[in-house]
Amino acid sequence: MENIAPATPASVFVKMVLGAWQQQNTRADELVAQLSDEQILQETAPGRNTGIYLFGHLAAVNDGLFTLLGIGKRLHPELDEIFLDSPDKSGKKFPPIDEIKKCWQEINIALTDKFNEMQGSEWFEKHSAVSAEDFAKEPHRNKLNTIITRTAHQAYHLGQMNYLKA
């Protein structure tokens, strides 16, 4: 029989947060699979962002987790100019939908692998966007909290994208 370490409150919390993050990724995968290319190119509501912009935005934000969490180099920094640094209606040319889907998959597979390699205590360390001084005063500004906020961000945009199914 394997020697299994007892679960600690911290390890349970990490598992819950990562489970919620993965659930949002799965929901995004399922939603995008349901949408036709024509649907994903539409605005989520009159005058609002298009589905392709929101999906590319989510891919770019997830890609940023590599450097923010200090777990590796970004896979697709080229997405930033279009999906983070510019608004949807900027006139910039979007990559093909299939290319964004491929980036999304590559990013999330690699992130999941990196997350699985991390030790529980690493999740409670500071991320790269907070100084050591600020982290000493605000230890909740840690890597795990970053995943919590990114999960909520993703859920928000997926809610918008659900209007594309109509």
Side-chain angles (χ1 to χ4, degrees):
M1 184 178 211
E2 285 186 45
N3 183 11
I4 300 175
T8 64
S11 69
V12 171
F13 191 63
V14 168
K15 185 174 182 171
M16 290 166 43
V17 170
L18 294 179
W21 180 81
Q22 187 58 55
Q23 183 179 44
Q24 289 305 316
N25 287 332
T26 299
R27 287 179 176 163
D29 292 339
E30 291 170 353
L31 176 60
V32 171
Q34 292 173 13
L35 298 172
S36 67
D37 287 358
E38 292 76 27
Q39 287 173 304
I40 204 165
L41 291 170
Q42 298 299 311
E43 293 179 332
T44 57
R48 304 301 297 197
N49 289 326
T50 58
I52 189 171
Y53 180 82
L54 291 174
F55 189 51
H57 173 77
L58 290 174
V61 168
N62 278 3
D63 194 41
L65 287 171
F66 290 103
T67 52
L68 186 60
L69 301 178
I71 56 174
K73 292 185 179 184
R74 300 197 44 202
L75 302 178
H76 295 284
E78 72 277 4
L79 296 175
D80 285 12
E81 184 181 344
I82 300 169
F83 298 113
L84 295 179
D85 300 339
S86 303
D88 188 353
K89 312 294 190 296
S90 68
K92 298 208 187 257
K93 185 174 182 332
F94 295 137
I97 294 169
D98 285 342
E99 186 177 321
I100 299 172
K101 288 178 183 179
K102 183 178 178 229
C103 292
W104 169 261
Q105 289 298 322
E106 290 173 357
I107 291 163
N108 290 322
I109 289 168
L111 281 173
T112 299
D113 290 345
K114 293 288 188 180
F115 291 174
N116 289 335
E117 293 171 4
M118 291 175 69
Q119 299 300 309
S121 62
E122 290 179 81
W123 287 104
F124 297 94
E125 296 172 357
K126 74 175 210 69
H127 55 74
S128 67
V130 65
S131 69
E133 296 80 24
D134 286 344
F135 185 69
K137 292 183 263 184
E138 301 175 291
H140 64 279
R141 293 175 69 186
N142 57 48
K143 294 176 182 182
L144 191 62
N145 196 28
T146 299
I147 300 301
I148 292 170
T149 60
R150 294 306 188 268
T151 301
H153 174 253
Q154 193 160 311
Y156 174 76
H157 287 312
L158 288 177
Q160 292 174 310
M161 290 175 66
N162 268 303
Y163 287 108
L164 298 170
K165 292 192 295 188

